Amino acid sequence: DTAVSQTPKYLVTQMGNDKSIKCEQNLGHDTMYWYKQDSKKFLKIMFSYNNKELIINETVPNRFSPKSPDKAHLNLHINSLELGDSAVYFCASSPTWPLGEKLFFGSGTQLSVL
Amino acid sequence: SQELEQSPQSLIVQEGKNLTINCTSSKTLYGLYWYKQKYGEGLIFLMMLQKGGEEKSHEKITAKLDEKKQQSSLHITASQPSHAGIYLCGAPGSSNTGKLIFGQGTTLQVKP
């Protein structure tokens, strides 16, 4: 069983559309994250939730809205997609907050905005 | 804000050669994580270093943490094609935070 799973793996869409990426972890972890990796492979944190509560909200356009229906799920909804949103989005989880152990990453969602 | 800089940014080595990747922090390190990323895949955890002077090894990969120099190094001995990928170092943003800040990554190619 995949520990941290994201869907879809690939997402190709037009500018202006709204799209969602889903993430689920079956590790029983309390904390989940969204990271964005740009074309230069630079990985940057976007959001973090601990037990469904938002605890990290980096400088991200408010077109990006995370939602955590329960601690095993963290979804990312993006409104009015722009070309610059093209990137690979990684979901991750960790057992506790603050981070004391490693992050477990999903395999990524490659978003292409045309 | 803290920044991590990795060097080199890319590396091509012949199979069997040794190599070292460095990760330097702009601020005090409160631990250092090394991850590996293969194309189209997520990040695979390699090692976590928590104390200055700490050194860990897994198979042919050794990582060290030099807290005074705010630096960590990853050394691969007798590289193999399976070592190819992107290596990223990550560090907690401060002493009590849940977020990892990552370096820009080092792309490693190993030629058979």
Side-chain angles (χ1 to χ4, degrees):
Chain A
D1 282 345
T2 304
V4 181
S5 58
Q6 299 178 225
T7 55
K9 187 167 177 65
Y10 300 98
L11 188 51
V12 181
T13 188
Q14 299 287 331
M15 273 176 52
N17 285 349
D18 303 338
K19 290 293 178 185
S20 292
I21 307 171
K22 294 185 176 181
C23 179
E24 176 182 3
Q25 54 95 3
N26 62 6
L27 298 167
H29 289 171
D30 285 344
T31 313
M32 295 185 73
Y33 309 77
W34 278 111
Y35 277 82
K36 177 181 178 181
Q37 187 176 45
D38 62 24
S39 57
K40 295 183 179 180
K41 305 302 179 187
F42 188 56
L43 193 64
K44 192 171 182 181
I45 191 167
M46 300 173 70
F47 303 103
S48 178
Y49 272 74
N50 184 56
N51 277 318
K52 302 192 295 177
E53 182 182 345
L54 181 66
I55 47 175
I56 293 176
N57 186 353
E58 294 293 293
T59 307
V60 176
N62 57 16
R63 297 182 295 104
F64 290 79
S65 53
K67 281 190 179 176
S68 182
D70 55 63
K71 74 175 191 177
H73 295 84
L74 180 61
N75 303 322
L76 183 65
H77 188 76
I78 314 170
N79 289 326
S80 303
L81 279 155
E82 299 177 358
L83 293 176
D85 298 332
S86 296
V88 181
Y89 293 85
F90 285 100
C91 176
S93 72
S94 63
T96 59
W97 171 272
L99 182 65
E101 301 179 36
K102 63 185 181 183
L103 289 182
F104 292 75
F105 282 86
S107 57
T109 295
Q110 186 165 334
L111 171 64
S112 298
V113 182
L114 307 177
Chain B
S1 61
Q2 184 172 19
E3 292 183 355
L4 295 176
E5 185 169 340
Q6 290 183 231
S7 61
Q9 290 192 19
S10 63
L11 196 52
I12 303 173
V13 300
Q14 202 69 38
E15 183 177 358
K17 295 293 184 184
N18 302 337
L19 63 107
T20 299
I21 299 169
N22 292 306
C23 175
T24 303
S25 172
S26 60
K27 294 187 177 181
T28 302
L29 285 169
Y30 294 100
L32 197 290
Y33 297 71
W34 282 100
Y35 282 83
K36 178 186 174 184
Q37 182 182 15
K38 286 194 170 181
Y39 179 75
E41 298 180 17
L43 278 70
I44 300 166
F45 173 78
L46 295 175
M47 276 170 274
M48 178 174 72
L49 305 165
Q50 292 181 296
K51 300 176 184 177
E54 187 173 10
E55 180 175 324
K56 287 189 177 177
S57 294
H58 176 67
E59 298 180 344
K60 294 184 178 180
I61 301 176
T62 300
K64 298 179 186 179
L65 177 61
D66 185 335
E67 241 174 30
K68 289 181 181 178
K69 290 185 180 178
Q70 299 176 177
Q71 188 177 62
S72 176
S73 60
L74 185 84
H75 185 77
I76 300 177
T77 304
S79 58
Q80 300 168 354
S82 61
H83 288 128
I86 301 170
Y87 289 82
L88 294 109
C89 64
S94 66
S95 61
N96 189 23
T97 184
K99 67 178 182 182
L100 275 188
I101 296 169
F102 284 91
Q104 80 276 31
T106 296
T107 302
L108 172 64
Q109 295 180 52
V110 180
K111 290 190 170 183

